[in-house]
Structures are given as C-alpha cells and as structure tokens.
Amino acid sequence: MSAAPTLDPGTHEPPDYLQVQSSAEFDELRRAHRSFAFPLTVAFVLWYLGYVLLSSYAGSFMATKVAGHLNVAFVLGIAQFVTTFLIAWWYSRHAAAKLDPKAEAIKSRLEGVTLHKEGDA
C-alpha cells in the first residue's frame, strides 16, 4: 500500500491572489456569476415583496377562493416555496455548467504554478 503524496505547506510560495483577481479568467467567472445571480435575486425579492404587499393591502383579493377552501393567498404562499426550490435547482445547474469549469481552470492554473515552483526549488 502506498501513501498519498503530501505537500509540505512551507515549501512553496502562495499564489499571487491579486494577480489572479485581476486576470481575465477571474473577470469572466465573476461576470458569469453576477449576470445570473443578481437579476434572479432582484426578481425573487420583487416577487416576495409583491406577495407581502398583496397580503397586507389586497386582503379581499387574497381571500378569493380558488378551489374548495384554497384561496389565492395559499396558492401564492406555496408558490413562494416552489420558486425558492426552483431557483436553488436552477442556480445549481448554472454553477455546474458555467461557473465550476471556470473556477476549476483557475484553480488548476494556480496549482500548476504552485507545483511548478515547488519542483523548481
């Protein structure tokens, strides 16, 4: 049985994080995240505030029966939960498809530089 190789944390210089942060790769990763997360967050907050405002100021509308004892308020309340889960699922898919590969490329480049420096020393 062979032991996994270990890297001594004291044998190499840490990556230049400021250089990574100013790189085009990192800008693209940040843009991919922001272009998805910010609009979706704003949309969800508006949807949530709309529900709260309707609950506060449109009581008769919210009390409208939809089916049996179910009213509009109940249906919209359940839709809040469904929306939350859908957003989490959608973000997970977006991150796996768009963000994770970009982040992994940056990480691999950093580790390659770090391992290369170790090998040279």
Side-chain angles (χ1 to χ4, degrees), residues 45-74:
V45 168
L46 290 174
W47 157 232
Y48 177 76
L49 289 176
Y51 175 75
V52 170
L53 290 172
L54 284 172
S55 296
S56 297
Y57 299 108
S60 60
F61 169 70
M62 296 295 269
T64 303
K65 300 285 183 189
V66 175
H69 293 291
L70 299 179
N71 60 18
V72 172
F74 182 79

PDB file of all heavy atoms in Angstrom, residues 45-74:
ATOM      1  N   VAL A  45     -36.795  38.894  -5.029  1.00  0.00           N
ATOM      2  CA  VAL A  45     -37.138  39.857  -3.981  1.00  0.00           C
ATOM      3  C   VAL A  45     -38.401  40.629  -4.364  1.00  0.00           C
ATOM      4  O   VAL A  45     -39.287  40.847  -3.521  1.00  0.00           O
ATOM      5  CB  VAL A  45     -35.949  40.802  -3.686  1.00  0.00           C
ATOM      6  CG1 VAL A  45     -36.373  41.981  -2.840  1.00  0.00           C
ATOM      7  CG2 VAL A  45     -34.827  40.032  -3.004  1.00  0.00           C
ATOM      8  N   LEU A  46     -38.509  41.022  -5.634  1.00  0.00           N
ATOM      9  CA  LEU A  46     -39.724  41.715  -6.084  1.00  0.00           C
ATOM     10  C   LEU A  46     -40.953  40.811  -5.976  1.00  0.00           C
ATOM     11  O   LEU A  46     -42.030  41.248  -5.567  1.00  0.00           O
ATOM     12  CB  LEU A  46     -39.553  42.225  -7.511  1.00  0.00           C
ATOM     13  CG  LEU A  46     -38.568  43.381  -7.676  1.00  0.00           C
ATOM     14  CD1 LEU A  46     -38.383  43.692  -9.159  1.00  0.00           C
ATOM     15  CD2 LEU A  46     -39.034  44.604  -6.913  1.00  0.00           C
ATOM     16  N   TRP A  47     -40.796  39.549  -6.341  1.00  0.00           N
ATOM     17  CA  TRP A  47     -41.881  38.570  -6.243  1.00  0.00           C
ATOM     18  C   TRP A  47     -42.297  38.403  -4.787  1.00  0.00           C
ATOM     19  O   TRP A  47     -43.474  38.403  -4.447  1.00  0.00           O
ATOM     20  CB  TRP A  47     -41.427  37.271  -6.880  1.00  0.00           C
ATOM     21  CG  TRP A  47     -42.073  35.977  -6.499  1.00  0.00           C
ATOM     22  CD1 TRP A  47     -41.426  34.858  -6.090  1.00  0.00           C
ATOM     23  CD2 TRP A  47     -43.465  35.623  -6.525  1.00  0.00           C
ATOM     24  NE1 TRP A  47     -42.325  33.847  -5.841  1.00  0.00           N
ATOM     25  CE2 TRP A  47     -43.592  34.301  -6.110  1.00  0.00           C
ATOM     26  CE3 TRP A  47     -44.605  36.306  -6.850  1.00  0.00           C
ATOM     27  CZ2 TRP A  47     -44.794  33.635  -6.005  1.00  0.00           C
ATOM     28  CZ3 TRP A  47     -45.832  35.650  -6.746  1.00  0.00           C
ATOM     29  CH2 TRP A  47     -45.910  34.331  -6.339  1.00  0.00           C
ATOM     30  N   TYR A  48     -41.312  38.308  -3.885  1.00  0.00           N
ATOM     31  CA  TYR A  48     -41.607  38.164  -2.455  1.00  0.00           C
ATOM     32  C   TYR A  48     -42.296  39.419  -1.911  1.00  0.00           C
ATOM     33  O   TYR A  48     -43.296  39.321  -1.204  1.00  0.00           O
ATOM     34  CB  TYR A  48     -40.324  37.872  -1.674  1.00  0.00           C
ATOM     35  CG  TYR A  48     -40.557  37.795  -0.194  1.00  0.00           C
ATOM     36  CD1 TYR A  48     -41.155  36.678   0.367  1.00  0.00           C
ATOM     37  CD2 TYR A  48     -40.208  38.851   0.639  1.00  0.00           C
ATOM     38  CE1 TYR A  48     -41.392  36.606   1.731  1.00  0.00           C
ATOM     39  CE2 TYR A  48     -40.443  38.791   2.002  1.00  0.00           C
ATOM     40  CZ  TYR A  48     -41.030  37.670   2.544  1.00  0.00           C
ATOM     41  OH  TYR A  48     -41.273  37.615   3.883  1.00  0.00           O
ATOM     42  N   LEU A  49     -41.761  40.590  -2.241  1.00  0.00           N
ATOM     43  CA  LEU A  49     -42.371  41.837  -1.769  1.00  0.00           C
ATOM     44  C   LEU A  49     -43.782  42.009  -2.333  1.00  0.00           C
ATOM     45  O   LEU A  49     -44.671  42.514  -1.642  1.00  0.00           O
ATOM     46  CB  LEU A  49     -41.498  43.033  -2.132  1.00  0.00           C
ATOM     47  CG  LEU A  49     -40.192  43.152  -1.340  1.00  0.00           C
ATOM     48  CD1 LEU A  49     -39.363  44.316  -1.865  1.00  0.00           C
ATOM     49  CD2 LEU A  49     -40.456  43.290   0.143  1.00  0.00           C
ATOM     50  N   GLY A  50     -43.977  41.594  -3.587  1.00  0.00           N
ATOM     51  CA  GLY A  50     -45.321  41.637  -4.165  1.00  0.00           C
ATOM     52  C   GLY A  50     -46.297  40.795  -3.365  1.00  0.00           C
ATOM     53  O   GLY A  50     -47.430  41.220  -3.091  1.00  0.00           O
ATOM     54  N   TYR A  51     -45.863  39.614  -2.952  1.00  0.00           N
ATOM     55  CA  TYR A  51     -46.700  38.739  -2.138  1.00  0.00           C
ATOM     56  C   TYR A  51     -47.017  39.389  -0.793  1.00  0.00           C
ATOM     57  O   TYR A  51     -48.175  39.390  -0.343  1.00  0.00           O
ATOM     58  CB  TYR A  51     -46.000  37.395  -1.928  1.00  0.00           C
ATOM     59  CG  TYR A  51     -46.737  36.463  -1.008  1.00  0.00           C
ATOM     60  CD1 TYR A  51     -47.877  35.799  -1.432  1.00  0.00           C
ATOM     61  CD2 TYR A  51     -46.292  36.248   0.291  1.00  0.00           C
ATOM     62  CE1 TYR A  51     -48.560  34.945  -0.589  1.00  0.00           C
ATOM     63  CE2 TYR A  51     -46.969  35.399   1.139  1.00  0.00           C
ATOM     64  CZ  TYR A  51     -48.098  34.751   0.699  1.00  0.00           C
ATOM     65  OH  TYR A  51     -48.783  33.909   1.539  1.00  0.00           O
ATOM     66  N   VAL A  52     -46.002  39.968  -0.167  1.00  0.00           N
ATOM     67  CA  VAL A  52     -46.208  40.619   1.129  1.00  0.00           C
ATOM     68  C   VAL A  52     -47.154  41.810   0.984  1.00  0.00           C
ATOM     69  O   VAL A  52     -48.069  42.003   1.799  1.00  0.00           O
ATOM     70  CB  VAL A  52     -44.859  41.049   1.747  1.00  0.00           C
ATOM     71  CG1 VAL A  52     -45.075  41.939   2.973  1.00  0.00           C
ATOM     72  CG2 VAL A  52     -44.032  39.826   2.111  1.00  0.00           C
ATOM     73  N   LEU A  53     -46.950  42.619  -0.046  1.00  0.00           N
ATOM     74  CA  LEU A  53     -47.820  43.777  -0.258  1.00  0.00           C
ATOM     75  C   LEU A  53     -49.260  43.354  -0.559  1.00  0.00           C
ATOM     76  O   LEU A  53     -50.213  43.968  -0.060  1.00  0.00           O
ATOM     77  CB  LEU A  53     -47.267  44.662  -1.370  1.00  0.00           C
ATOM     78  CG  LEU A  53     -45.978  45.408  -1.027  1.00  0.00           C
ATOM     79  CD1 LEU A  53     -45.416  46.106  -2.259  1.00  0.00           C
ATOM     80  CD2 LEU A  53     -46.211  46.395   0.101  1.00  0.00           C
ATOM     81  N   LEU A  54     -49.423  42.332  -1.374  1.00  0.00           N
ATOM     82  CA  LEU A  54     -50.774  41.825  -1.639  1.00  0.00           C
ATOM     83  C   LEU A  54     -51.417  41.320  -0.352  1.00  0.00           C
ATOM     84  O   LEU A  54     -52.608  41.566  -0.105  1.00  0.00           O
ATOM     85  CB  LEU A  54     -50.738  40.703  -2.678  1.00  0.00           C
ATOM     86  CG  LEU A  54     -50.538  41.115  -4.126  1.00  0.00           C
ATOM     87  CD1 LEU A  54     -50.316  39.881  -5.006  1.00  0.00           C
ATOM     88  CD2 LEU A  54     -51.727  41.918  -4.627  1.00  0.00           C
ATOM     89  N   SER A  55     -50.647  40.632   0.460  1.00  0.00           N
ATOM     90  CA  SER A  55     -51.180  40.127   1.730  1.00  0.00           C
ATOM     91  C   SER A  55     -51.586  41.263   2.656  1.00  0.00           C
ATOM     92  O   SER A  55     -52.565  41.152   3.391  1.00  0.00           O
ATOM     93  CB  SER A  55     -50.141  39.253   2.433  1.00  0.00           C
ATOM     94  OG  SER A  55     -49.874  38.109   1.673  1.00  0.00           O
ATOM     95  N   SER A  56     -50.829  42.350   2.605  1.00  0.00           N
ATOM     96  CA  SER A  56     -51.100  43.473   3.504  1.00  0.00           C
ATOM     97  C   SER A  56     -52.220  44.380   3.014  1.00  0.00           C
ATOM     98  O   SER A  56     -53.012  44.881   3.818  1.00  0.00           O
ATOM     99  CB  SER A  56     -49.834  44.319   3.681  1.00  0.00           C
ATOM    100  OG  SER A  56     -48.832  43.546   4.282  1.00  0.00           O
ATOM    101  N   TYR A  57     -52.273  44.622   1.709  1.00  0.00           N
ATOM    102  CA  TYR A  57     -53.170  45.654   1.194  1.00  0.00           C
ATOM    103  C   TYR A  57     -54.280  45.153   0.266  1.00  0.00           C
ATOM    104  O   TYR A  57     -55.120  45.945  -0.134  1.00  0.00           O
ATOM    105  CB  TYR A  57     -52.355  46.730   0.469  1.00  0.00           C
ATOM    106  CG  TYR A  57     -51.378  47.412   1.390  1.00  0.00           C
ATOM    107  CD1 TYR A  57     -50.022  47.175   1.286  1.00  0.00           C
ATOM    108  CD2 TYR A  57     -51.834  48.280   2.384  1.00  0.00           C
ATOM    109  CE1 TYR A  57     -49.117  47.788   2.148  1.00  0.00           C
ATOM    110  CE2 TYR A  57     -50.942  48.902   3.242  1.00  0.00           C
ATOM    111  CZ  TYR A  57     -49.591  48.649   3.123  1.00  0.00           C
ATOM    112  OH  TYR A  57     -48.713  49.257   3.972  1.00  0.00           O
ATOM    113  N   ALA A  58     -54.246  43.898  -0.108  1.00  0.00           N
ATOM    114  CA  ALA A  58     -55.283  43.371  -1.008  1.00  0.00           C
ATOM    115  C   ALA A  58     -55.905  42.118  -0.403  1.00  0.00           C
ATOM    116  O   ALA A  58     -55.954  41.059  -1.014  1.00  0.00           O
ATOM    117  CB  ALA A  58     -54.686  43.081  -2.381  1.00  0.00           C
ATOM    118  N   GLY A  59     -56.375  42.298   0.822  1.00  0.00           N
ATOM    119  CA  GLY A  59     -56.943  41.168   1.557  1.00  0.00           C
ATOM    120  C   GLY A  59     -58.105  40.491   0.849  1.00  0.00           C
ATOM    121  O   GLY A  59     -58.207  39.266   0.843  1.00  0.00           O
ATOM    122  N   SER A  60     -58.963  41.281   0.240  1.00  0.00           N
ATOM    123  CA  SER A  60     -60.118  40.674  -0.436  1.00  0.00           C
ATOM    124  C   SER A  60     -59.681  39.854  -1.647  1.00  0.00           C
ATOM    125  O   SER A  60     -60.238  38.788  -1.921  1.00  0.00           O
ATOM    126  CB  SER A  60     -61.131  41.745  -0.843  1.00  0.00           C
ATOM    127  OG  SER A  60     -60.531  42.672  -1.725  1.00  0.00           O
ATOM    128  N   PHE A  61     -58.673  40.346  -2.367  1.00  0.00           N
ATOM    129  CA  PHE A  61     -58.146  39.576  -3.496  1.00  0.00           C
ATOM    130  C   PHE A  61     -57.497  38.283  -3.000  1.00  0.00           C
ATOM    131  O   PHE A  61     -57.729  37.203  -3.559  1.00  0.00           O
ATOM    132  CB  PHE A  61     -57.129  40.394  -4.291  1.00  0.00           C
ATOM    133  CG  PHE A  61     -56.357  39.574  -5.299  1.00  0.00           C
ATOM    134  CD1 PHE A  61     -56.977  39.081  -6.429  1.00  0.00           C
ATOM    135  CD2 PHE A  61     -55.013  39.289  -5.088  1.00  0.00           C
ATOM    136  CE1 PHE A  61     -56.271  38.304  -7.352  1.00  0.00           C
ATOM    137  CE2 PHE A  61     -54.303  38.519  -6.000  1.00  0.00           C
ATOM    138  CZ  PHE A  61     -54.937  38.029  -7.133  1.00  0.00           C
ATOM    139  N   MET A  62     -56.705  38.386  -1.956  1.00  0.00           N
ATOM    140  CA  MET A  62     -56.006  37.207  -1.436  1.00  0.00           C
ATOM    141  C   MET A  62     -56.983  36.184  -0.857  1.00  0.00           C
ATOM    142  O   MET A  62     -56.689  34.999  -0.824  1.00  0.00           O
ATOM    143  CB  MET A  62     -54.969  37.616  -0.391  1.00  0.00           C
ATOM    144  CG  MET A  62     -53.852  38.479  -0.956  1.00  0.00           C
ATOM    145  SD  MET A  62     -52.830  37.631  -2.146  1.00  0.00           S
ATOM    146  CE  MET A  62     -51.571  36.988  -1.083  1.00  0.00           C
ATOM    147  N   ALA A  63     -58.144  36.649  -0.406  1.00  0.00           N
ATOM    148  CA  ALA A  63     -59.146  35.749   0.164  1.00  0.00           C
ATOM    149  C   ALA A  63     -60.008  35.074  -0.903  1.00  0.00           C
ATOM    150  O   ALA A  63     -60.815  34.197  -0.584  1.00  0.00           O
ATOM    151  CB  ALA A  63     -60.034  36.516   1.137  1.00  0.00           C
ATOM    152  N   THR A  64     -59.823  35.434  -2.154  1.00  0.00           N
ATOM    153  CA  THR A  64     -60.618  34.846  -3.236  1.00  0.00           C
ATOM    154  C   THR A  64     -60.385  33.342  -3.287  1.00  0.00           C
ATOM    155  O   THR A  64     -59.241  32.861  -3.315  1.00  0.00           O
ATOM    156  CB  THR A  64     -60.207  35.477  -4.593  1.00  0.00           C
ATOM    157  OG1 THR A  64     -60.369  36.881  -4.513  1.00  0.00           O
ATOM    158  CG2 THR A  64     -61.023  34.901  -5.729  1.00  0.00           C
ATOM    159  N   LYS A  65     -61.478  32.597  -3.280  1.00  0.00           N
ATOM    160  CA  LYS A  65     -61.389  31.134  -3.315  1.00  0.00           C
ATOM    161  C   LYS A  65     -60.949  30.662  -4.706  1.00  0.00           C
ATOM    162  O   LYS A  65     -61.438  31.158  -5.716  1.00  0.00           O
ATOM    163  CB  LYS A  65     -62.744  30.501  -2.982  1.00  0.00           C
ATOM    164  CG  LYS A  65     -63.276  30.857  -1.621  1.00  0.00           C
ATOM    165  CD  LYS A  65     -62.548  30.114  -0.546  1.00  0.00           C
ATOM    166  CE  LYS A  65     -63.188  30.448   0.810  1.00  0.00           C
ATOM    167  NZ  LYS A  65     -62.440  29.939   1.903  1.00  0.00           N
ATOM    168  N   VAL A  66     -60.022  29.717  -4.714  1.00  0.00           N
ATOM    169  CA  VAL A  66     -59.535  29.148  -5.969  1.00  0.00           C
ATOM    170  C   VAL A  66     -60.200  27.800  -6.207  1.00  0.00           C
ATOM    171  O   VAL A  66     -60.728  27.538  -7.279  1.00  0.00           O
ATOM    172  CB  VAL A  66     -57.990  29.006  -5.952  1.00  0.00           C
ATOM    173  CG1 VAL A  66     -57.487  28.308  -7.193  1.00  0.00           C
ATOM    174  CG2 VAL A  66     -57.330  30.352  -5.780  1.00  0.00           C
ATOM    175  N   ALA A  67     -60.148  26.953  -5.188  1.00  0.00           N
ATOM    176  CA  ALA A  67     -60.768  25.634  -5.264  1.00  0.00           C
ATOM    177  C   ALA A  67     -61.049  25.161  -3.841  1.00  0.00           C
ATOM    178  O   ALA A  67     -60.120  25.079  -3.023  1.00  0.00           O
ATOM    179  CB  ALA A  67     -59.865  24.644  -5.976  1.00  0.00           C
ATOM    180  N   GLY A  68     -62.287  24.889  -3.545  1.00  0.00           N
ATOM    181  CA  GLY A  68     -62.639  24.441  -2.196  1.00  0.00           C
ATOM    182  C   GLY A  68     -62.271  25.497  -1.170  1.00  0.00           C
ATOM    183  O   GLY A  68     -62.684  26.645  -1.260  1.00  0.00           O
ATOM    184  N   HIS A  69     -61.457  25.097  -0.186  1.00  0.00           N
ATOM    185  CA  HIS A  69     -61.031  26.030   0.858  1.00  0.00           C
ATOM    186  C   HIS A  69     -59.720  26.738   0.513  1.00  0.00           C
ATOM    187  O   HIS A  69     -59.211  27.505   1.322  1.00  0.00           O
ATOM    188  CB  HIS A  69     -60.873  25.295   2.190  1.00  0.00           C
ATOM    189  CG  HIS A  69     -62.176  24.787   2.742  1.00  0.00           C
ATOM    190  ND1 HIS A  69     -63.141  25.637   3.217  1.00  0.00           N
ATOM    191  CD2 HIS A  69     -62.665  23.532   2.864  1.00  0.00           C
ATOM    192  CE1 HIS A  69     -64.176  24.921   3.621  1.00  0.00           C
ATOM    193  NE2 HIS A  69     -63.907  23.635   3.417  1.00  0.00           N
ATOM    194  N   LEU A  70     -59.177  26.466  -0.655  1.00  0.00           N
ATOM    195  CA  LEU A  70     -57.915  27.092  -1.057  1.00  0.00           C
ATOM    196  C   LEU A  70     -58.181  28.479  -1.631  1.00  0.00           C
ATOM    197  O   LEU A  70     -59.018  28.643  -2.516  1.00  0.00           O
ATOM    198  CB  LEU A  70     -57.194  26.241  -2.104  1.00  0.00           C
ATOM    199  CG  LEU A  70     -56.796  24.826  -1.686  1.00  0.00           C
ATOM    200  CD1 LEU A  70     -56.125  24.107  -2.851  1.00  0.00           C
ATOM    201  CD2 LEU A  70     -55.884  24.862  -0.495  1.00  0.00           C
ATOM    202  N   ASN A  71     -57.431  29.443  -1.127  1.00  0.00           N
ATOM    203  CA  ASN A  71     -57.587  30.801  -1.639  1.00  0.00           C
ATOM    204  C   ASN A  71     -56.301  31.244  -2.342  1.00  0.00           C
ATOM    205  O   ASN A  71     -55.296  30.536  -2.359  1.00  0.00           O
ATOM    206  CB  ASN A  71     -57.996  31.768  -0.524  1.00  0.00           C
ATOM    207  CG  ASN A  71     -56.987  31.825   0.591  1.00  0.00           C
ATOM    208  OD1 ASN A  71     -55.849  31.426   0.436  1.00  0.00           O
ATOM    209  ND2 ASN A  71     -57.408  32.325   1.737  1.00  0.00           N
ATOM    210  N   VAL A  72     -56.338  32.433  -2.922  1.00  0.00           N
ATOM    211  CA  VAL A  72     -55.201  32.972  -3.672  1.00  0.00           C
ATOM    212  C   VAL A  72     -53.974  33.089  -2.771  1.00  0.00           C
ATOM    213  O   VAL A  72     -52.863  32.771  -3.175  1.00  0.00           O
ATOM    214  CB  VAL A  72     -55.571  34.340  -4.308  1.00  0.00           C
ATOM    215  CG1 VAL A  72     -54.348  35.004  -4.914  1.00  0.00           C
ATOM    216  CG2 VAL A  72     -56.657  34.169  -5.350  1.00  0.00           C
ATOM    217  N   ALA A  73     -54.163  33.530  -1.532  1.00  0.00           N
ATOM    218  CA  ALA A  73     -53.038  33.693  -0.605  1.00  0.00           C
ATOM    219  C   ALA A  73     -52.306  32.370  -0.391  1.00  0.00           C
ATOM    220  O   ALA A  73     -51.065  32.326  -0.399  1.00  0.00           O
ATOM    221  CB  ALA A  73     -53.521  34.247   0.723  1.00  0.00           C
ATOM    222  N   PHE A  74     -53.054  31.286  -0.226  1.00  0.00           N
ATOM    223  CA  PHE A  74     -52.438  29.982  -0.004  1.00  0.00           C
ATOM    224  C   PHE A  74     -51.665  29.537  -1.249  1.00  0.00           C
ATOM    225  O   PHE A  74     -50.526  29.070  -1.155  1.00  0.00           O
ATOM    226  CB  PHE A  74     -53.510  28.946   0.355  1.00  0.00           C
ATOM    227  CG  PHE A  74     -52.933  27.593   0.643  1.00  0.00           C
ATOM    228  CD1 PHE A  74     -52.355  27.324   1.865  1.00  0.00           C
ATOM    229  CD2 PHE A  74     -52.968  26.594  -0.319  1.00  0.00           C
ATOM    230  CE1 PHE A  74     -51.810  26.084   2.133  1.00  0.00           C
ATOM    231  CE2 PHE A  74     -52.433  25.352  -0.054  1.00  0.00           C
ATOM    232  CZ  PHE A  74     -51.852  25.088   1.172  1.00  0.00           C
TER     233      PHE A  74
END
